[in-house]
């Protein structure tokens, strides 16, 4: 899109913040998180290490990590009012999906903690909200958090009531680390706009959750997996995808505002999904997804020549989270669980360095209408 009189639709290319949190180079497919290439960080670090890195600027020592992880674990239990809200919401005639329930309940997370603890409470409690609501929706009692387990292991434990294998915990941890931060994406920008008004951290994160939910931002992985399931066999991929494009639909999991090559996060998540599916899963689903990806990328090249529509993070998110045993409805809430750490880091940065974010709109309406009394209006 081109600027017309300084107007850039979607703010494309506009620099609206300085950050030390992540660098995205869309031309070469590079993502650096707080100084580390994402390929090195995501598959090796624990999630707690990455949160610490983003918030304090360096990887923790063993002692600092132990203390930080312990503080987060102690904050996992939810305030009673949050549990009551989730219980009431789960019993309504048409209970909302897990992402809407997360947005509603996240707004209560200032209860029972001082404002300086909001950041830790948000990271610690988002998984508890998602898992508790998931249990309640199935008529079960929520599983209490287990402070002996890591952040990722505890989330899987609260969802199922069983301690997950090391391979599954590693798979989830790699996912959460991969999506933890990504420049000035829509939800991060929303969080920065809110905190820049000197509002509070809980409000900023609730706003960001609302932005992430949209189907062209964090809501894409569920539909991406549905698409692979509907395709069923590699031979059906081409007619199915051609039909979608011919009827004006977007292929979920493809295209990106910034990347003009394959999203580097797709590479990490594809490798992790392959490892997981090889160990205990359905390799034929993985092979099918690979073939759907190839067909989609070549059809998109025909459909929008020169636009370089490539695989984005959401395509392999879907496959990996499915491999971890998560239902599609949990994909976007799980994205929020990872990204919250990044949103909060951006809030800290915005509070430290930023000004009120207040761009301009170019008025394109008329300005000389005569007032019409209500009885005279057509
Ligand atoms: N399938 C079909 N056509 C596409 C796709 C797609 N996945 N992506 C872009 N296009 C087309 C658009 O229709 C548009 O065509 P037009 O010029 O005729 O209107 C053209 O390519 C350019 O697309 P834009 O919408 O201008 O690109 P933008 O930078 O705004 O969009 C976006 C990026 C929203 C991610 C888009 O590629 C899309 O909708 N993809 C599918 C949804 C998705 O996977 N979202 C997850 C993104 S990753 C994340 O947010 C975590």
């Amino acid at each position: 899109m081109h600027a017309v009189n300084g107007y850039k639709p979607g703010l494309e290319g506009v620099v609206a913040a300085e950050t030390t949190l992540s660098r995205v180079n869309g031309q070469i497919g590079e993502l650096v998180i707080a100084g580390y290439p994402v390929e090195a960080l995501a598959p090796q670090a624990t999630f707690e290490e990455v949160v610490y890195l983003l918030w304090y600027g360096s990887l923790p020592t063993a002692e600092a990590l132990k203390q930080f992880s312990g503080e987060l674990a102690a904050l996992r239990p939810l305030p009673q009012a949050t549990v009551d809200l989730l219980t009431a919401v789960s019993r309504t005639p048409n209970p909302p999906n897990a992402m809407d329930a997360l947005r509603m309940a996240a707004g209560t997370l200032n209860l029972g903690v001082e404002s300086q603890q909001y950041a830790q409470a948000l990271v610690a409690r988002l998984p508890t909200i998602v898992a508790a609501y998931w249990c309640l929706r199935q008529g079960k009692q929520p599983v209490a958090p287990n402070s002996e387990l890591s952040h990722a292991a505890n989330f899987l434990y609260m969802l199922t009531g069983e301690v997950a294998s090391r391979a599954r915990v590693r798979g989830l941890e790699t996912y959460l680390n991969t999506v933890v931060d990504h420049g000035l994406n829509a939800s991060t920008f929303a969080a920065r706009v809110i905190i820049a008004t000197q509002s509070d951290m809980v409000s900023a994160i609730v706003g960001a959750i609302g932005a992430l939910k949209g189907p062209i931002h964090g809501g894409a992985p569920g539909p991406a997996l549905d698409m692979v399931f509907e395709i069923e066999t590699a031979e059906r991929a081409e007619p199915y995808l051609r039909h979608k494009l011919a009827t004006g639909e977007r292929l979920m999991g493809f295209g990106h505002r910034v990347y003009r090559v394959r999203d580097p996060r797709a590479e990490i998540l594809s490798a992790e999904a392959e490892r997981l599916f090889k160990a205990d899963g359905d390799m034929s689903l993985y092979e099918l997804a690979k073939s759907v990806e190839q067909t989609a990328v070549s059809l998109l090249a025909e459909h929008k020549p020169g636009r370089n529509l490539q695989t984005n993070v959401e395509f392999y998110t879907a496959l990996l989270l499915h491999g971890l045993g998560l239902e599609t409805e949990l994909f976007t809430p799980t994205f929020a669980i990872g990204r919250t750490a990044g949103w909060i880091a951006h809030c800290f940065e915005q509070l430290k360095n930023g000004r009120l974010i207040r761009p301009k709109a170019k008025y394109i309406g008329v300005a000389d209408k005569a007032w019409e009394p209500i009885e005279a209006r057509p």
Side-chain angles (χ1 to χ4, degrees):
M1 301 257 178
H2 298 291
V4 180
N5 300 332
Y7 165 46
K8 296 205 171 183
L11 299 183
E12 186 162 354
V14 173
V15 177
E18 287 185 322
T19 185
T20 58
L21 298 170
S22 58
R23 185 178 77 191
V24 185
N25 184 332
Q27 299 303 321
I28 57 167
E30 177 200 66
L31 171 59
V32 172
I33 304 220
Y36 297 88
V38 66
E39 296 80 3
L41 189 71
Q44 301 196 77
T46 65
F47 182 65
E48 285 88 333
E49 278 180 298
V50 174
V51 181
Y52 188 100
L53 169 67
L54 284 172
W55 292 6
Y56 303 110
S58 61
L59 285 170
T61 60
E63 197 184 329
L65 180 62
K66 191 165 173 232
Q67 186 181 338
F68 185 63
S69 305
E71 286 166 7
L72 288 178
L75 282 164
R76 285 177 192 157
L78 297 176
Q80 189 55 45
T82 312
V83 178
D84 292 346
L85 171 77
L86 290 169
T87 307
V89 160
S90 72
R91 291 180 183 157
T92 53
N94 290 308
N97 67 33
M99 192 61 179
D100 282 329
L102 175 64
R103 173 181 46 74
M104 292 174 199
T108 65
L109 289 187
N110 53 332
L111 296 169
V113 281
E114 301 295 324
S115 58
Q116 63 273 19
Q117 279 187 302
Y118 285 0
Q120 288 200 351
L122 282 157
V123 166
R125 292 177 177 170
L126 254 51
T128 322
I129 291 177
V130 175
Y133 186 66
W134 193 246
C135 292
L136 287 164
R137 272 259 308 277
Q138 287 157 71
K140 297 185 195 151
Q141 274 305 305
V143 176
N146 179 342
S147 60
E148 301 292 306
L149 298 175
S150 70
H151 192 77
N154 176 59
F155 179 48
L156 293 173
Y157 169 72
M158 291 187 299
L159 283 173
T160 61
E162 284 167 24
V163 177
S165 68
R166 283 166 74 100
R168 283 180 178 228
V169 174
R170 183 64 259 170
L172 179 60
E173 205 137 45
T174 299
Y175 169 71
L176 297 174
N177 293 344
T178 301
V179 300
V180 74
D181 197 52
H182 199 245
L184 209 54
N185 59 87
S187 53
T188 300
F189 187 52
R192 284 189 88 128
V193 168
I194 294 170
I195 206 74
T197 68
Q198 296 183 2
S199 177
D200 66 288
M201 194 74 84
V202 173
S203 301
I205 301 313
V206 172
I209 291 171
L212 186 73
K213 180 188 142 178
I216 62 170
H217 186 15
L225 186 68
D226 292 343
M227 188 173 80
V228 175
F229 278 132
E230 276 169 33
I231 289 174
E232 273 180 289
T233 60
E235 304 71 58
R236 277 172 40 88
E238 187 173 336
Y240 176 100
L241 296 171
R242 270 196 197 284
H243 176 74
K244 266 201 182 293
L245 291 173
T247 51
E249 278 189 61
R250 290 188 177 204
L251 306 184
M252 291 298 171
F254 298 90
H256 198 274
R257 173 61 64 81
V258 179
Y259 290 117
R260 291 295 170 263
V261 292
R262 196 170 190 251
D263 185 331
R265 299 168 299 173
E267 203 63 51
I268 298 169
L269 300 184
S270 154
E272 193 61 45
E274 185 175 10
R275 199 178 58 75
L276 196 74
F277 277 84
K278 262 191 186 141
D280 69 3
D282 177 3
M283 248 338 246
S284 63
L285 181 65
Y286 180 80
E287 308 287 357
L288 173 63
K290 279 258 163 220
S291 135
V292 169
E293 180 192 11
Q294 272 171 12
T295 311
V297 169
S298 70
L299 292 183
L300 284 166
E302 267 176 40
H303 179 67
K304 289 280 159 207
R307 179 67 177 73
N308 279 330
L309 295 171
Q310 297 284 336
T311 319
N312 66 42
V313 66
E314 302 290 38
F315 190 74
Y316 283 101
T317 288
L319 210 64
L320 177 58
L321 296 187
H322 174 75
L324 290 171
L326 269 61
E327 300 285 338
T328 40
E329 192 185 322
L330 291 173
F331 292 175
T332 311
T334 305
F335 189 169
I337 286 170
R339 185 57 65 83
T340 303
W343 290 331
I344 291 171
H346 276 270
C347 288
F348 287 146
E349 205 172 49
Q350 182 68 37
L351 284 171
K352 204 160 145 211
N353 308 323
R355 286 185 79 201
L356 176 71
I357 298 172
R358 202 330 186 165
K360 290 197 298 188
K362 180 170 159 1
Y363 181 66
I364 55 164
V366 296
D368 53 359
K369 286 188 176 177
W371 169 251
E372 293 153 337
I374 196 158
E375 327 73 70
R377 290 175 206 160

